[in-house]
Amino acid sequence: PGGLIVGDAAGFLNVPKIKGNHTAMKSGMLAAEAVHELLSAEAPAREAVAYPEKLKVSWVWSELHAVRNIRPGFQKGLWAGLANAAYETATKGKSPWTLHHRHGDHETLKKASEMPKIAYPKPDGVVSFDRLSSVYLSNTNHEEDQPAHLTLKDASVPIAVNLALYDAPETRYCPAGVYEIVRAEDGSAPRLQINAQNCVHCKTCDIKDPTQNINWVVPEGGGGPNYPGGM
């Protein structure tokens, strides 16, 4: 009660087209209509129950229903996903079934001992770029004296579990270099350093952390990326 989820936050992305601006805008318009009706009523309710009903009779619902099985179809691999995508596209999503994601994204991460070590080439500054340069372009800013918006449920987990078993994946899946393993000069005493100032609020860490130990919360004062026009 008191809140509505619209746009990308609600998952209104047309996956095969990789487009969501139109659905996000329309869902916002429908939400506004529902809220207006609620506030205009003689006895306003606490919840805009008309919002989901308006969505179900709009083109947003029919468009996304037609592509609902595209993304979940890739759970069985690339070729199975492509075959399923072709079928769903040809039938315009008229399948009598709906596929679902059966696991959390963090559950798919494999241990470092089970995977080959990847040698990442250094950014060439032409086709590939280092993360901090990209963070600079995002114009990200957070007030230095605010409480950290990235917190750990258990401060011992990053070293005892993530580093020991997964080789600190948070240092790689974060696109902004927020997480860093720092050590003493002799390589001992590793610890996780969180550079929250760099955060671009993608929430990958909150979603992908294998132990679900990282908690992202809204920063103070609306801090974060501020991409200039034309980016």
Side-chain angles (χ1 to χ4, degrees), residues 80-102:
L82 290 175
N84 174 73
Y87 170 78
E88 292 290 340
T89 301
T91 60
K92 296 182 179 180
K94 290 186 170 64
S95 303
W97 58 78
T98 296
L99 303 179
H100 298 279
H101 294 284
R102 299 293 185 183

Side-chain angles (χ1 to χ4, degrees), residues 154-209:
D154 186 338
S156 68
V157 167
I159 302 303
V161 180
N162 284 20
L163 179 61
L165 299 180
Y166 300 96
D167 195 24
E170 59 269 45
T171 63
R172 294 185 296 280
Y173 57 59
C174 174
V178 169
Y179 301 95
E180 182 181 2
I181 297 294
V182 296
R183 304 173 185 266
E185 292 185 3
D186 60 359
S188 63
R191 64 180 179 84
L192 178 67
Q193 178 171 294
I194 301 178
N195 306 306
Q197 174 72 8
N198 292 353
C199 184
V200 294
H201 302 173
C202 69
K203 290 197 71 176
T204 301
C205 57
D206 194 311
I207 297 169
K208 193 67 178 177
D209 183 52

Side-chain angles (χ1 to χ4, degrees), residues 10 17 29 37 45 62 67 94 117 128 174 184 198 205-206:
K17 291 184 178 181
M29 294 164 66
E37 292 174 5
S62 57
V67 298
K94 290 186 170 64
K117 192 172 182 61
S128 59
C174 174
N198 292 353
C205 57
D206 194 311

Side-chain angles (χ1 to χ4, degrees), residues 103-177:
H103 58 262
D105 199 22
H106 68 280
E107 297 174 355
T108 65
L109 201 64
K110 295 183 179 180
K111 295 179 180 178
S113 61
E114 301 173 0
M115 303 299 296
K117 192 172 182 61
I118 302 175
Y120 293 98
K122 291 184 177 181
D124 58 17
V126 178
V127 176
S128 59
F129 304 87
D130 66 279
R131 285 183 286 185
L132 293 183
S133 294
S134 297
V135 172
Y136 173 78
L137 293 175
S138 73
N139 203 21
T140 296
N141 182 63
H142 298 86
E143 293 295 335
E144 295 287 355
D145 60 351
Q146 68 173 283
H149 71 281
L150 296 167
T151 59
L152 302 175
K153 297 175 183 177
D154 186 338
S156 68
V157 167
I159 302 303
V161 180
N162 284 20
L163 179 61
L165 299 180
Y166 300 96
D167 195 24
E170 59 269 45
T171 63
R172 294 185 296 280
Y173 57 59
C174 174

